[in-house]
PDB file of all heavy atoms in Angstrom:
ATOM      1  N   ARG Y  86      84.324 -47.725 -98.492  1.00 97.00           N
ATOM      2  CA  ARG Y  86      84.695 -48.720 -99.509  1.00 97.00           C
ATOM      3  C   ARG Y  86      85.806 -49.651 -99.014  1.00 97.00           C
ATOM      4  O   ARG Y  86      85.775 -50.858 -99.285  1.00 97.00           O
ATOM      5  CB  ARG Y  86      85.152 -48.005-100.781  1.00 97.00           C
ATOM      6  CG  ARG Y  86      84.059 -47.254-101.522  1.00 97.00           C
ATOM      7  CD  ARG Y  86      83.182 -48.199-102.314  1.00 97.00           C
ATOM      8  NE  ARG Y  86      82.227 -47.485-103.166  1.00 97.00           N
ATOM      9  CZ  ARG Y  86      81.469 -48.066-104.081  1.00 97.00           C
ATOM     10  NH1 ARG Y  86      81.560 -49.367-104.275  1.00 97.00           N
ATOM     11  NH2 ARG Y  86      80.625 -47.356-104.803  1.00 97.00           N
ATOM     12  N   GLU Y  87      86.770 -49.120 -98.293  1.00 97.00           N
ATOM     13  CA  GLU Y  87      87.932 -49.919 -97.912  1.00 97.00           C
ATOM     14  C   GLU Y  87      87.737 -50.689 -96.616  1.00 97.00           C
ATOM     15  O   GLU Y  87      88.376 -51.734 -96.418  1.00 97.00           O
ATOM     16  CB  GLU Y  87      89.163 -49.016 -97.785  1.00 97.00           C
ATOM     17  CG  GLU Y  87      89.620 -48.399 -99.099  1.00 97.00           C
ATOM     18  CD  GLU Y  87      90.887 -47.573 -98.949  1.00 97.00           C
ATOM     19  OE1 GLU Y  87      91.374 -47.441 -97.803  1.00 97.00           O
ATOM     20  OE2 GLU Y  87      91.372 -47.057 -99.958  1.00 97.00           O
ATOM     21  N   ILE Y  88      86.852 -50.201 -95.738  1.00 97.00           N
ATOM     22  CA  ILE Y  88      86.717 -50.830 -94.417  1.00 97.00           C
ATOM     23  C   ILE Y  88      85.301 -51.378 -94.201  1.00 97.00           C
ATOM     24  O   ILE Y  88      85.108 -52.587 -94.058  1.00 97.00           O
ATOM     25  CB  ILE Y  88      87.064 -49.827 -93.297  1.00 97.00           C
ATOM     26  CG1 ILE Y  88      88.498 -49.307 -93.471  1.00 97.00           C
ATOM     27  CG2 ILE Y  88      86.884 -50.479 -91.924  1.00 97.00           C
ATOM     28  CD1 ILE Y  88      88.866 -48.200 -92.507  1.00 97.00           C
ATOM     29  N   TYR Y  89      84.320 -50.502 -94.192  1.00 97.00           N
ATOM     30  CA  TYR Y  89      82.996 -50.890 -93.718  1.00 97.00           C
ATOM     31  C   TYR Y  89      82.177 -51.669 -94.748  1.00 97.00           C
ATOM     32  O   TYR Y  89      81.303 -52.462 -94.373  1.00 97.00           O
ATOM     33  CB  TYR Y  89      82.238 -49.647 -93.244  1.00 97.00           C
ATOM     34  CG  TYR Y  89      82.932 -48.981 -92.081  1.00 97.00           C
ATOM     35  CD1 TYR Y  89      83.703 -47.834 -92.260  1.00 97.00           C
ATOM     36  CD2 TYR Y  89      82.869 -49.523 -90.804  1.00 97.00           C
ATOM     37  CE1 TYR Y  89      84.365 -47.236 -91.202  1.00 97.00           C
ATOM     38  CE2 TYR Y  89      83.527 -48.935 -89.726  1.00 97.00           C
ATOM     39  CZ  TYR Y  89      84.273 -47.799 -89.936  1.00 97.00           C
ATOM     40  OH  TYR Y  89      84.941 -47.224 -88.878  1.00 97.00           O
ATOM     41  N   PHE Y  90      82.419 -51.445 -96.044  1.00 98.00           N
ATOM     42  CA  PHE Y  90      81.713 -52.182 -97.086  1.00 98.00           C
ATOM     43  C   PHE Y  90      82.440 -53.463 -97.493  1.00 98.00           C
ATOM     44  O   PHE Y  90      81.840 -54.346 -98.094  1.00 98.00           O
ATOM     45  CB  PHE Y  90      81.543 -51.327 -98.342  1.00 98.00           C
ATOM     46  CG  PHE Y  90      80.547 -50.219 -98.223  1.00 98.00           C
ATOM     47  CD1 PHE Y  90      80.382 -49.310 -99.272  1.00 98.00           C
ATOM     48  CD2 PHE Y  90      79.751 -50.056 -97.092  1.00 98.00           C
ATOM     49  CE1 PHE Y  90      79.473 -48.277 -99.184  1.00 98.00           C
ATOM     50  CE2 PHE Y  90      78.842 -49.016 -96.989  1.00 98.00           C
ATOM     51  CZ  PHE Y  90      78.704 -48.126 -98.050  1.00 98.00           C
ATOM     52  N   ARG Y  91      83.717 -53.537 -97.220  1.00 98.00           N
ATOM     53  CA  ARG Y  91      84.546 -54.570 -97.835  1.00 98.00           C
ATOM     54  C   ARG Y  91      84.074 -55.987 -97.510  1.00 98.00           C
ATOM     55  O   ARG Y  91      84.025 -56.853 -98.398  1.00 98.00           O
ATOM     56  CB  ARG Y  91      86.001 -54.388 -97.375  1.00 98.00           C
ATOM     57  CG  ARG Y  91      86.984 -55.324 -98.045  1.00 98.00           C
ATOM     58  CD  ARG Y  91      87.115 -55.029 -99.515  1.00 98.00           C
ATOM     59  NE  ARG Y  91      88.168 -55.829-100.113  1.00 98.00           N
ATOM     60  CZ  ARG Y  91      88.091 -56.418-101.286  1.00 98.00           C
ATOM     61  NH1 ARG Y  91      86.987 -56.291-102.003  1.00 98.00           N
ATOM     62  NH2 ARG Y  91      89.085 -57.112-101.777  1.00 98.00           N
ATOM     63  N   GLY Y  92      83.714 -56.247 -96.269  1.00 98.00           N
ATOM     64  CA  GLY Y  92      83.250 -57.586 -95.905  1.00 98.00           C
ATOM     65  C   GLY Y  92      81.993 -57.983 -96.652  1.00 98.00           C
ATOM     66  O   GLY Y  92      81.841 -59.138 -97.085  1.00 98.00           O
ATOM     67  N   TYR Y  93      81.090 -57.030 -96.834  1.00 98.00           N
ATOM     68  CA  TYR Y  93      79.863 -57.300 -97.582  1.00 98.00           C
ATOM     69  C   TYR Y  93      80.173 -57.555 -99.052  1.00 98.00           C
ATOM     70  O   TYR Y  93      79.593 -58.451 -99.681  1.00 98.00           O
ATOM     71  CB  TYR Y  93      78.901 -56.117 -97.447  1.00 98.00           C
ATOM     72  CG  TYR Y  93      78.410 -55.898 -96.044  1.00 98.00           C
ATOM     73  CD1 TYR Y  93      79.032 -54.990 -95.198  1.00 98.00           C
ATOM     74  CD2 TYR Y  93      77.312 -56.597 -95.554  1.00 98.00           C
ATOM     75  CE1 TYR Y  93      78.587 -54.786 -93.901  1.00 98.00           C
ATOM     76  CE2 TYR Y  93      76.852 -56.401 -94.255  1.00 98.00           C
ATOM     77  CZ  TYR Y  93      77.502 -55.501 -93.441  1.00 98.00           C
ATOM     78  OH  TYR Y  93      77.062 -55.310 -92.158  1.00 98.00           O
ATOM     79  N   GLU Y  94      81.064 -56.770 -99.613  1.00 98.00           N
ATOM     80  CA  GLU Y  94      81.424 -56.934-101.022  1.00 98.00           C
ATOM     81  C   GLU Y  94      81.982 -58.334-101.279  1.00 98.00           C
ATOM     82  O   GLU Y  94      81.605 -58.990-102.261  1.00 98.00           O
ATOM     83  CB  GLU Y  94      82.451 -55.876-101.425  1.00 98.00           C
ATOM     84  CG  GLU Y  94      82.866 -55.950-102.884  1.00 98.00           C
ATOM     85  CD  GLU Y  94      83.891 -54.898-103.263  1.00 98.00           C
ATOM     86  OE1 GLU Y  94      84.384 -54.197-102.351  1.00 98.00           O
ATOM     87  OE2 GLU Y  94      84.213 -54.784-104.469  1.00 98.00           O
ATOM     88  N   ILE Y  95      82.877 -58.794-100.419  1.00 98.00           N
ATOM     89  CA  ILE Y  95      83.458 -60.125-100.592  1.00 98.00           C
ATOM     90  C   ILE Y  95      82.381 -61.198-100.452  1.00 98.00           C
ATOM     91  O   ILE Y  95      82.345 -62.171-101.228  1.00 98.00           O
ATOM     92  CB  ILE Y  95      84.584 -60.346 -99.569  1.00 98.00           C
ATOM     93  CG1 ILE Y  95      85.755 -59.388 -99.845  1.00 98.00           C
ATOM     94  CG2 ILE Y  95      85.072 -61.795 -99.610  1.00 98.00           C
ATOM     95  CD1 ILE Y  95      86.820 -59.401 -98.768  1.00 98.00           C
ATOM     96  N   SER Y  96      81.477 -61.044 -99.495  1.00 98.00           N
ATOM     97  CA  SER Y  96      80.418 -62.034 -99.284  1.00 98.00           C
ATOM     98  C   SER Y  96      79.453 -62.087-100.458  1.00 98.00           C
ATOM     99  O   SER Y  96      78.905 -63.150-100.765  1.00 98.00           O
ATOM    100  CB  SER Y  96      79.654 -61.727 -97.986  1.00 98.00           C
ATOM    101  OG  SER Y  96      80.487 -61.889 -96.862  1.00 98.00           O
ATOM    102  N   VAL Y  97      79.230 -60.942-101.108  1.00 98.00           N
ATOM    103  CA  VAL Y  97      78.362 -60.920-102.286  1.00 98.00           C
ATOM    104  C   VAL Y  97      79.073 -61.514-103.500  1.00 98.00           C
ATOM    105  O   VAL Y  97      78.534 -62.388-104.198  1.00 98.00           O
ATOM    106  CB  VAL Y  97      77.892 -59.482-102.591  1.00 98.00           C
ATOM    107  CG1 VAL Y  97      77.220 -59.411-103.959  1.00 98.00           C
ATOM    108  CG2 VAL Y  97      76.937 -58.999-101.505  1.00 98.00           C
ATOM    109  N   LYS Y  98      80.288 -61.086-103.758  1.00 98.00           N
ATOM    110  CA  LYS Y  98      80.990 -61.507-104.966  1.00 98.00           C
ATOM    111  C   LYS Y  98      81.529 -62.930-104.880  1.00 98.00           C
ATOM    112  O   LYS Y  98      81.476 -63.688-105.856  1.00 98.00           O
ATOM    113  CB  LYS Y  98      82.129 -60.535-105.267  1.00 98.00           C
ATOM    114  CG  LYS Y  98      81.657 -59.153-105.697  1.00 98.00           C
ATOM    115  CD  LYS Y  98      82.837 -58.250-106.039  1.00 98.00           C
ATOM    116  CE  LYS Y  98      82.371 -56.910-106.574  1.00 98.00           C
ATOM    117  NZ  LYS Y  98      83.517 -56.002-106.906  1.00 98.00           N
ATOM    118  N   GLU Y  99      82.059 -63.314-103.719  1.00 97.00           N
ATOM    119  CA  GLU Y  99      82.651 -64.640-103.580  1.00 97.00           C
ATOM    120  C   GLU Y  99      81.696 -65.650-102.952  1.00 97.00           C
ATOM    121  O   GLU Y  99      81.738 -66.834-103.279  1.00 97.00           O
ATOM    122  CB  GLU Y  99      83.932 -64.557-102.750  1.00 97.00           C
ATOM    123  CG  GLU Y  99      85.010 -63.698-103.383  1.00 97.00           C
ATOM    124  CD  GLU Y  99      86.302 -63.685-102.573  1.00 97.00           C
ATOM    125  OE1 GLU Y  99      86.444 -64.538-101.663  1.00 97.00           O
ATOM    126  OE2 GLU Y  99      87.157 -62.830-102.846  1.00 97.00           O
ATOM    127  N   GLY Y 100      80.859 -65.199-102.041  1.00 97.00           N
ATOM    128  CA  GLY Y 100      79.935 -66.102-101.368  1.00 97.00           C
ATOM    129  C   GLY Y 100      78.573 -66.190-102.020  1.00 97.00           C
ATOM    130  O   GLY Y 100      77.755 -67.031-101.647  1.00 97.00           O
ATOM    131  N   GLN Y 101      78.314 -65.309-103.002  1.00 97.00           N
ATOM    132  CA  GLN Y 101      77.012 -65.265-103.678  1.00 97.00           C
ATOM    133  C   GLN Y 101      75.861 -65.085-102.683  1.00 97.00           C
ATOM    134  O   GLN Y 101      74.824 -65.756-102.765  1.00 97.00           O
ATOM    135  CB  GLN Y 101      76.800 -66.533-104.509  1.00 97.00           C
ATOM    136  CG  GLN Y 101      77.826 -66.747-105.607  1.00 97.00           C
ATOM    137  CD  GLN Y 101      77.845 -65.597-106.618  1.00 97.00           C
ATOM    138  OE1 GLN Y 101      76.804 -65.266-107.205  1.00 97.00           O
ATOM    139  NE2 GLN Y 101      78.996 -64.980-106.816  1.00 97.00           N
TER     140      GLN Y 101
END
Side-chain angles (χ1 to χ4, degrees):
R86 292 283 187 171
E87 294 183 357
I88 301 173
Y89 298 102
F90 288 175
R91 185 67 174 139
Y93 295 95
E94 181 180 7
I95 294 172
S96 294
V97 169
K98 291 182 175 180
E99 298 183 13
Q101 299 300 305

